Amino acid sequence: MGTRKKVLAFVRVKPTDDFAHEMIKYGDDNKSIDIHLKKDIRRGVVNNQQTDWSFKLDGVLHNASQDLVYETVAKNVVSQALDGYNGTIMCYGQTGAGKTYTMTGATENYKHRGILPRALQQVFRMIEERPTHAITVRVSYLEIYNESLFDLLSTLPYVGPSVTPMTIVENPQGVFVKGLSVHLTSQEEDAFSLLFEGEANRIIASHTMNKNSSRSHCIFTIYVEAHSRTLSDEKYITSKINLVDLAGSERLGKSGSEGRVLKEATYINKSLSFLEQAIIALGDQKRDHIPFRQCKLTHALKDSLGGNCNMVLLTNIYGEAAQLEETLSSLRFASRMKLVTTEPAINEKYDAERMVKNLEKELALLKQELAIHDSLANRTLVNYDPMDEIQIAEINSQVRRYLEGTLDEIDIINLRQIQEVFNQFRVVLSQQEQEVESALRRKYTLIDKNDFAAISAVQKAGIVDVEGHLVGEPDGQGFGLGVTPFSAKPGKKSKSKKTFREQLSSLARKEGASSPVSGKELDVSMSKTQMTPSSKEGDVKDMIMRERETSSIEPLPSDSPKEELRPPRPSTPPPKPVAFEDFKNERGSEINRIFKENKSILNERRKRASETTQRINAIKREMDVTKEALNFQKSLREKQGEYENKGLMIIDEEEFLLILKLKDLKKQYRTEYQDLRDLRAEIQYCQHLVDQCRHRLLTEFDIWYNESFFIPEDLQMALKPGGNIRPGMVPVSRLMSLGEDDQDKFSQLQQMLLPEGPDSISFYNAKAKTEQK
């Protein structure tokens, strides 16, 4: 096991213009915060109210960029995860203090991305730097809303809705959520797409402290599994990184929440209270029981809170005097978290397939050791490998000679030979039983004693006497019917066989038995010599019938119309560009026409989308100008003094017209944006059709080109309908590709010249796919 270590606790202060410099002060090492609160003089002269607090932390991030936050808080945890250590990064704080921005960041801007996308990027960068390991990455996204579990990635088409609700399950390997989908990601762009998909499904609501407030706890988990490519060790390491974005705590009296937001706040405060109770219990070394099962949040994070992981807490606080009480509460939680200790250790597992290979190698080495020992002991005939067919046949021969008496004893060599000797004894015994049974069946026909109809039939036939004894049997025992042995002539065998069957069946019909004798019970088995003539006779009949059918077919008339003569093939095939133009004008004219029509439709949709985008941008600029004018009118009205009539604000005509104009612009913006989304969907579908037509056109041209210039003349008939060779199965060389249009070149140029560099391509591609969806 690993050594115990303290949980790291950092504090990030939200930037504000109204920072309380007199009340909040940082230490010189940026690892402590001092809070000073003035005494309330209304409480009188004797006032024992606490006014000063000091909190020791692992770091204070004030006016820190997203890069600095990630380097300080998360980089070391993610790097150790690829070495087999679990990690947990948790954001805690008041509503609107910047938790979601710290964890996720602004998805519209690559520079302002948060811990989550940066962690994904670091994982894939480190995988590229470790070519000696085969590393797989999987992700999941869990949301806890009002004490209910939701899969934020369940909207993907290959996941589908779950019939049974998700539950938290514990096993010796840890805690996991049953029913939560886990997705394999082979590249960075796929991981970003899953992240943006889950972010789009999160539950947010407008709040007095935050316009887009998260109303649920979210846990994004990255699962890493690393196998060594070079070492033959069966061990491999696994790890997981829990990135937890907690919902914000709030004072209901101050926020004034109502309705659904009030219910959400109640559940949030309740779960955060249980989380704090679990943290206090973990920090107390005398406590044996930790209340993890009080809520879904603490239960899901049971192995992440004080367990086998590197844990970091990032507390987000306000720096304003109005929020000082909530800031103190958040800092107290951070100081309690520093008392919790974890015991990180590498998670090692065993690969069963690689373990088998190692055991096979070890077995080979042990056989070599035995061979050396036997050679030193003059036991050169010992072989420890599995026996082959020749050795098994030799042992079988020895067993048969031993049973016949021609061999006195069987030499014992090793344990495997002893086992095979007993096995051959069983084989010989089984063969003898089968020979005895087949010999009896050749002489007798077996019937069931309980089948009275069959017994009565054979009695009337004179085969069995009245007492049930078989005719021709000296002792009168057994079930066999005393039938005269068959003669050597096949014809007599068939006749006697037929007569006996007809006799039994006719007698059974005369008796009128309710249960007729089954074919299995009355079947008189025939020897192989009896079956051979009948089968040959059937084959001869079939051959004669085939010859008759062949002879009955009329020959083809000699004056059948001949095939049209093909134009002479050129000695050297023409260049593919020239042949491609001929193909588009002749055989591929129809598919080329469809390709051009789809291409023109695609270009027309792209042009309309570009025009719609320009209109949207123009409307947006006009909206910005209108908002500035409206804000100017509001500020002017506030300076001049506001007028109210019966509780209603009185505004002038100019401001009223600006409000109406802004409302119309917003309506136009929504309409144009909806049109743009529809056009993007049409463009995507048209692009799919164009790609299909391009592929079809190239495939048809390849088939035509090979048929026309490369296939020998004697194989041309086989390519006709109904021939032996299907068109398109002839080996082809590398095909020429259609030139890319201007839009494709522009897309590639746009990716090459992104302002943030090539590292942001996966980020923006995933964002674009999510927006299109």
Side-chain angles (χ1 to χ4, degrees):
M1 296 296 291
T3 58
R4 301 192 70 86
K5 58 186 294 187
K6 296 286 187 180
V7 173
L8 299 179
F10 296 89
V11 172
R12 186 181 190 184
V13 185
K14 184 176 182 179
T16 178
D17 295 334
D18 191 15
F19 186 79
H21 294 282
E22 298 178 355
M23 300 181 180
I24 303 176
K25 293 184 180 181
Y26 307 132
D28 296 335
D29 56 352
N30 277 335
K31 290 188 177 181
S32 63
I33 295 182
D34 295 330
I35 306 294
H36 174 70
L37 185 64
K38 294 181 180 180
K39 284 192 175 183
D40 190 359
I41 59 175
R42 293 176 296 178
R43 294 192 176 186
V45 178
V46 180
N47 187 354
N48 295 325
Q49 179 186 2
Q50 185 177 355
T51 58
D52 295 287
W53 294 266
S54 181
F55 300 94
K56 298 293 183 180
L57 304 166
D58 294 292
V60 178
L61 302 170
H62 182 63
N63 291 331
S65 63
Q66 295 281 66
D67 291 334
L68 180 59
V69 171
Y70 184 77
E71 292 286 337
T72 307
V73 175
K75 186 175 182 179
N76 188 33
V77 175
V78 176
S79 62
Q80 290 189 14
L82 268 74
D83 296 329
Y85 293 94
N86 293 337
T88 300
I89 302 173
M90 181 185 299
C91 281
Y92 177 88
Q94 182 186 0
T95 300
K99 297 181 300 301
T100 302
Y101 177 77
T102 301
M103 185 59 68
T104 306
T107 56
E108 294 80 8
N109 194 323
Y110 178 74
K111 291 182 179 180
H112 296 163
R113 67 195 189 282
I115 294 176
L116 252 171
R118 292 175 188 270
L120 289 173
Q121 200 168 28
Q122 182 183 350
V123 167
F124 284 98
R125 291 292 182 272
M126 294 181 68
I127 290 175
E128 294 176 357
E129 297 172 357
R130 299 190 182 189
T132 59
H133 287 76
I135 302 177
T136 58
V137 180
R138 295 176 174 84
V139 298
S140 64
Y141 211 166
L142 174 67
E143 180 182 47
I144 304 177
Y145 174 71
N146 290 351
E147 281 301 295
S148 298
L149 303 177
F150 297 95
D151 186 3
L152 291 177
L153 301 179
S154 62
T155 56
L156 294 174
Y158 52 86
V159 176
S162 178
V163 179
T164 59
M166 293 189 296
T167 56
I168 301 174
V169 181
E170 297 184 33
N171 59 11
Q173 286 73 32
V175 179
F176 69 95
V177 180
K178 185 178 181 181
L180 180 64
S181 61
V182 180
H183 304 264
L184 177 65
T185 56
S186 57
Q187 55 185 353
E188 185 179 329
E189 184 176 332
D190 296 339
F192 283 143
S193 298
L194 293 173
L195 171 62
F196 295 144
E197 176 76 19
E199 288 295 320
N201 295 329
R202 287 189 62 174
I203 297 177
I204 59 175
S206 180
H207 194 271
T208 56
M209 304 297 295
N210 187 6
K211 184 179 180 181
N212 296 317
S213 175
S214 300
R215 311 308 295 166
S216 60
H217 310 295
C218 292
I219 304 174
F220 188 90
T221 306
I222 305 173
Y223 306 89
V224 181
E225 183 175 312
H227 296 257
S228 177
R229 298 180 189 269
T230 57
L231 300 178
S232 61
D233 190 7
E234 62 270 9
K235 292 181 181 180
Y236 67 96
I237 59 174
T238 61
S239 61
K240 65 178 180 178
I241 309 171
N242 286 324
L243 302 169
V244 186
D245 181 16
L246 298 175
S249 60
E250 61 181 84
R251 293 179 181 269
L252 300 181
K254 182 181 290 187
S255 62
S257 301
E258 297 179 353
R260 181 175 63 88
V261 179
L262 175 62
K263 179 182 177 182
E264 294 169 350
T266 304
Y267 276 105
I268 292 170
N269 289 343
K270 181 180 178 181
S271 60
L272 292 177
S273 176
F274 288 142
L275 174 63
E276 188 168 4
Q277 291 179 19
I279 296 302
I280 293 173
L282 286 170
D284 188 357
Q285 301 297 330
K286 299 179 181 179
R287 291 283 294 271
D288 295 331
H289 173 69
I290 311 300
F292 285 118
R293 293 176 176 267
Q294 286 183 324
C295 66
K296 298 290 180 62
L297 175 63
T298 55
H299 197 187
L301 297 175
K302 179 180 180 180
D303 56 352
S304 300
L305 299 172
N308 174 24
C309 69
N310 293 313
M311 185 170 182
V312 178
L313 174 69
L314 182 57
T315 304
N316 296 80
I317 63 172
Y318 279 97
E320 300 175 358
Q323 310 296 335
L324 197 59
E325 293 183 1
E326 288 79 3
T327 298
L328 282 172
S329 177
S330 299
L331 292 174
R332 290 193 191 100
F333 181 84
S335 62
R336 294 189 184 103
M337 182 64 79
K338 278 187 63 61
L339 300 176
V340 179
T341 58
T342 61
E343 195 171 355
I346 298 178
N347 300 295
E348 292 182 342
K349 295 185 179 179
Y350 291 89
D351 188 355
E353 182 178 357
R354 188 168 292 185
M355 186 184 298
V356 170
K357 292 182 179 179
N358 292 340
L359 290 176
E360 290 176 350
K361 292 181 180 179
E362 186 176 357
L363 180 61
L365 292 174
L366 291 175
K367 287 181 179 179
Q368 293 176 4
E369 291 286 342
L370 283 174
I372 295 173
H373 176 74
D374 292 334
S375 63
L376 294 176
N378 294 325
R379 300 177 68 232
T380 57
L381 299 177
V382 181
N383 185 12
Y384 298 99
D385 293 328
M387 293 186 176
D388 54 12
E389 295 180 358
I390 298 176
Q391 293 173 336
I392 294 175
E394 176 63 25
I395 293 177
N396 183 276
S397 175
Q398 293 178 2
V399 169
R400 290 183 180 277
R401 284 183 289 156
Y402 179 79
L403 293 175
E404 292 171 358
T406 58
L407 183 65
D408 294 336
E409 61 181 11
I410 300 176
D411 295 332
I412 301 302
I413 300 176
N414 54 18
L415 181 61
R416 195 187 296 272
Q417 186 251 359
I418 295 174
Q419 293 176 346
E420 189 60 38
V421 166
F422 281 100
N423 186 31
Q424 292 303 320
F425 271 112
R426 184 188 298 114
V427 171
V428 172
L429 179 62
S430 176
Q431 290 177 354
Q432 290 179 353
E433 289 178 352
Q434 292 178 1
E435 290 175 359
V436 172
E437 183 178 355
S438 60
L440 291 175
R441 286 184 178 276
R442 282 196 299 270
K443 287 185 177 183
Y444 306 105
T445 299
L446 304 181
I447 63 172
D448 189 1
K449 275 187 174 182
N450 298 324
D451 194 345
F452 301 106
I455 293 175
S456 124
V458 295
Q459 284 178 355
K460 289 188 177 182
I463 300 174
V464 180
D465 57 12
V466 179
E467 296 180 357
H469 294 183
L470 303 178
V471 177
E473 187 178 7
D475 55 357
Q477 302 294 326
F479 297 97
L481 298 179
V483 182
T484 306
F486 297 142
S487 63
K489 295 182 180 180
K492 292 184 179 180
K493 290 181 182 179
S494 303
K495 185 176 181 181
S496 61
K497 176 76 174 179
K498 181 178 179 183
T499 305
F500 180 66
R501 282 184 176 274
E502 289 178 352
Q503 188 177 6
L504 288 178
S505 60
S506 61
L507 288 173
R509 284 196 298 270
K510 289 179 181 179
E511 284 292 319
S514 58
S515 58
V517 182
S518 63
K520 183 178 179 181
E521 295 166 348
L522 290 178
D523 186 17
V524 180
S525 60
M526 300 168 62
S527 63
K528 293 181 180 179
T529 56
Q530 291 174 293
M531 296 297 295
T532 305
S534 61
S535 61
K536 288 184 177 179
E537 185 179 354
D539 295 340
V540 172
K541 289 183 179 180
D542 293 340
M543 189 181 301
I544 294 173
M545 292 298 295
R546 285 197 297 270
E547 290 177 357
R548 288 180 179 178
E549 291 175 359
T550 306
S551 61
S552 64
I553 299 176
E554 296 181 359
L556 293 174
S558 59
D559 56 348
S560 59
K562 297 182 179 181
E563 295 184 358
E564 297 181 0
L565 296 178
R566 296 171 58 89
R569 175 181 292 183
S571 58
T572 58
K576 279 198 172 184
V578 178
F580 187 64
E581 295 297 329
D582 296 339
F583 171 75
K584 289 193 293 185
N585 295 329
E586 297 175 0
R587 181 170 171 178
S589 60
E590 181 65 20
I591 186 65
N592 185 44
R593 180 186 63 80
I594 298 174
F595 174 74
K596 288 182 177 180
E597 289 180 357
N598 291 338
K599 196 67 176 293
S600 62
I601 294 174
L602 176 61
N603 292 332
E604 188 268 336
R605 293 294 190 277
R606 285 176 173 170
K607 183 178 179 182
R608 285 174 54 186
S610 177
E611 294 174 354
T612 305
T613 304
Q614 293 177 2
R615 290 198 300 270
I616 290 175
N617 292 334
I619 294 173
K620 184 65 172 61
R621 288 192 294 269
E622 191 173 357
M623 287 172 59
D624 294 339
V625 174
T626 306
K627 286 182 180 179
E628 290 180 1
L630 186 59
N631 292 332
F632 177 75
Q633 290 293 330
K634 288 183 179 179
S635 62
L636 186 62
R637 171 164 49 82
E638 291 174 355
K639 291 180 181 179
Q640 295 177 355
E642 298 178 347
Y643 297 93
E644 293 185 359
N645 184 13
K646 297 182 180 179
L648 299 177
M649 188 64 64
I650 299 176
I651 59 176
D652 56 3
E653 183 178 359
E654 185 176 357
E655 186 176 354
F656 180 71
L657 293 176
L658 287 174
I659 293 174
L660 293 180
K661 182 180 179 181
L662 183 61
K663 184 177 180 181
D664 294 338
L665 289 174
K666 288 182 178 180
K667 184 177 181 181
Q668 294 178 16
Y669 182 85
R670 286 193 293 268
T671 304
E672 293 291 343
Y673 186 75
Q674 183 63 35
D675 294 341
L676 180 61
R677 291 181 61 183
D678 297 340
L679 284 173
R680 285 176 177 173
E682 293 181 8
I683 289 172
Q684 186 178 5
Y685 179 70
C686 292
Q687 182 66 50
H688 176 67
L689 294 180
V690 169
D691 293 339
Q692 280 188 336
C693 291
R694 179 185 287 118
H695 178 72
R696 177 72 182 277
L697 187 63
L698 291 175
T699 304
E700 293 289 341
F701 166 70
D702 181 64
I703 296 173
W704 173 81
Y705 190 77
N706 285 278
E707 288 180 357
S708 303
F709 303 108
F710 290 100
I711 300 177
E713 295 289 344
D714 54 353
L715 292 179
Q716 291 293 326
M717 294 300 297
L719 290 174
K720 296 295 180 182
N724 297 326
I725 303 178
R726 185 165 57 88
M729 298 301 293
V730 181
V732 295
S733 59
R734 189 173 182 179
L735 295 175
M736 63 171 293
S737 60
L738 292 176
E740 296 178 339
D741 55 5
D742 296 337
Q743 183 65 27
D744 297 334
K745 293 180 179 178
F746 175 75
S747 300
Q748 294 182 0
L749 185 63
Q750 185 182 22
Q751 290 186 354
M752 293 172 59
L753 301 179
L754 283 174
E756 289 82 3
D759 291 342
S760 62
I761 292 178
S762 300
F763 184 87
Y764 281 114
N765 283 345
K767 183 65 178 176
K769 290 180 181 179
T770 306
E771 289 180 350
Q772 288 178 2
K773 182 179 177 181

